[in-house]
Amino acid sequence: MPHYGDMQNAIYNAGLSGIQPDYPVDFATLEARAEKALSPSMRNYIQGGCGDEHTQDRNADAFHNWGMVPRMLVDCTQRDLSIDLFGMRLPSPVFMAPIGVNGEATQDRKGDLAAARASAETGVPFCASTLSNTPLEEVARAAGDTPGLFQLYTPKNEDLTQSLISRAQKAGYRALVVTLDTWVTGWRPRDLNTANFPQLRGKVLENYFSDPVFRGLLERPPEEDLPAAVAKWAATFGKVLTWDDIARFREMTDMPIVLKGICHGEDARKAADHGVDAIYCSNHGGRQANGGIAAIDMLPAVVEGAGKTPVLFDSGIRSGSDVIKAIALGATAVGIGRPYTYGLAIGGTAGAAHVLRSILAEADLLMAVNGYPDLDAVREAGAYRMPPLTLP
């Protein structure tokens, strides 16, 4: 049976004929390559975080504070990375986290389609963002048979909210991911110093511009008066959500509902009590609020509060080892963010697919070497703050 880690053998065997990988397999080299491919404004927007970016940096660095204890004399010639989520059997726990400027990451400004095609090529589900250069229906079609999720920035206009959700359900998305922490934008110095906010320049707004309800709010269509359409978007974006809104989402869709941005154990408990289908532990990659704790350090409390409710996780994932550590701490599925967007920047669909395969290969090989034949074994092994106070 093939394994994700077989990618390593393919690379070494190709090397015997003088062939090297077209794209990097490590995050540091990937980031350096992407910096050269992106315009300064896009580079700042993708790389930037809130404030002095301490939280953003901690998200990634904190994984180094967690370690796993290998188990020997375990037959790991067969590994199983599959998971069950929303009634689906998925081949791995990895998904592509929503990135609102994917569309701008490729040279043709069709990065959302490239990301969806990478999803189709790898079988890694894509969580499409409300902010997109391509309407959500086209993105869903580009993902083929690989199931996708739809992330919602909830508008203030309820009819528009209903329209976006209904379109997503009709297009075949398998869950609604409601972002909780972005009704207002955090303080982002890199973007402020260059006065650059892509949406106010009319970028990544095609889900709005293609929506019949949104177009009905305009005196003239976006094609005829872009500034007015952007102004209407700005006035409509960002409903402040409360616990009372969950019931309304239930009325709007049959899709499973995921709350994105939960970082406190008590909030996770409340979400589970409200009957949401999954809890998404994330601090938006450190882009929205500075001075916070690394997301991975908050994950155990969220998992405990969630009880039997599945927990998705992102923020700071840079490698396959990071993925396995998040699984060990209780995550059901793990979102990849910046790495695959960097892959889009340097190679479009092929670049993003390569990044996803590299992360999966590292995760698979870590399980093989550490004696974890499946994800249940990973969770049983757990992860420990280093140095571990007490070995199991």
Side-chain angles (χ1 to χ4, degrees):
M1 185 178 78
H3 292 97
Y4 294 114
D6 292 343
M7 176 184 182
Q8 172 174 266
N9 298 331
I11 291 174
Y12 286 141
N13 287 330
L16 298 176
S17 301
I19 301 171
Q20 296 185 352
D22 291 329
Y23 310 108
V25 300
D26 68 292
F27 181 77
T29 310
L30 174 68
E31 186 172 48
R33 284 271 300 272
E35 287 176 349
K36 298 177 181 178
L38 293 164
S39 69
S41 61
M42 276 303 298
R43 182 171 64 246
N44 283 334
Y45 193 88
I46 291 172
Q47 290 186 336
C50 188
D52 67 1
E53 301 181 354
H54 172 76
T55 300
Q56 173 176 281
D57 294 341
R58 282 290 301 149
N59 275 339
D61 292 344
F63 279 89
H64 299 145
N65 298 332
W66 292 93
M68 302 187 69
V69 181
R71 303 302 301 268
M72 295 295 105
L73 300 172
V74 179
D75 184 356
C76 289
T77 52
Q78 302 295 325
R79 276 97 59 201
D80 182 3
L81 276 71
S82 63
I83 65 167
D84 292 306
L85 185 65
F86 308 138
M88 302 179 289
R89 188 68 176 175
L90 301 174
S92 87
V94 170
F95 67 96
M96 301 166 74
I99 305 288
V101 289
N102 275 336
E104 294 291 315
T106 56
Q107 295 298 316
D108 63 0
R109 301 186 63 234
K110 295 292 184 180
D112 307 288
L113 290 176
R117 291 176 184 131
S119 173
E121 286 192 14
T122 61
V124 175
F126 177 43
C127 187
S129 175
T130 306
L131 297 173
S132 173
N133 272 351
T134 303
L136 61 91
E137 293 86 356
E138 293 182 40
V139 173
R141 287 194 292 271
D145 294 331
T146 302
L149 317 176
F150 180 72
Q151 174 270 336
L152 177 72
Y153 288 122
T154 308
K156 295 172 184 174
N157 183 297
E158 187 163 303
D159 290 337
L160 178 56
T161 300
Q162 179 67 76
S163 182
L164 289 168
I165 292 175
S166 297
R167 288 172 60 195
Q169 181 167 331
K170 185 177 180 180
Y173 290 95
R174 303 297 292 272
L176 177 68
V177 178
V178 181
T179 292
L180 306 175
D181 62 0
T182 314
W183 60 273
V184 66
T185 303
W187 183 259
R188 302 175 187 171
R190 293 203 206 192
D191 299 325
L192 290 164
N193 286 337
T194 57
N196 176 54
F197 193 72
Q199 293 89 312
L200 293 181
R201 299 169 187 264
K203 298 177 180 179
V204 299
L205 298 181
E206 284 304 310
N207 278 327
Y208 300 90
F209 293 172
S210 62
D211 192 274
V213 172
F214 184 82
R215 293 175 74 90
L217 300 175
L218 305 174
E219 293 184 6
R220 291 190 293 170
E223 307 89 83
E224 296 179 11
D225 192 344
L226 180 60
V230 170
K232 178 60 70 174
W233 169 81
T236 305
F237 183 86
K239 175 180 170 61
V240 178
L241 298 172
T242 69
W243 293 107
D244 294 336
D245 290 297
I246 295 175
R248 185 69 183 119
F249 285 119
R250 281 284 182 214
E251 295 173 357
M252 290 183 173
T253 185
D254 295 327
M255 289 185 290
I257 294 174
V258 183
L259 298 186
K260 181 178 185 289
I262 299 290
C263 291
H264 194 289
E266 184 57 32
D267 287 347
R269 196 168 291 111
K270 280 186 178 182
D273 289 343
H274 277 75
V276 301
D277 299 279
I279 292 161
Y280 193 150
C281 177
S282 168
N283 62 12
H284 217 107
R287 290 176 59 77
Q288 276 296 90
N290 197 32
I293 301 169
I296 191 65
D297 291 338
M298 296 185 282
L299 176 60
V302 170
V303 170
E304 181 180 359
K308 295 182 178 180
T309 303
V311 174
L312 282 60
F313 174 84
D314 76 20
S315 298
I317 297 289
R318 301 291 184 261
S319 68
S321 297
D322 293 344
V323 170
I324 296 303
K325 288 179 183 179
I327 296 293
L329 291 173
T332 301
V334 181
I336 311 300
R338 282 183 181 88
Y340 87 77
T341 300
Y342 286 156
L344 290 175
I346 64 175
T349 294
H354 175 88
V355 169
L356 295 171
R357 291 188 179 111
S358 297
I359 288 172
L360 284 168
E362 182 183 351
D364 179 38
L365 290 170
L366 174 65
M367 290 173 60
V369 173
N370 269 11
Y372 312 141
D374 54 34
L375 298 183
D376 285 340
V378 170
R379 295 187 180 96
E380 183 179 354
Y384 302 86
R385 287 192 179 277
M386 297 193 296
L389 298 178
T390 303
L391 291 178

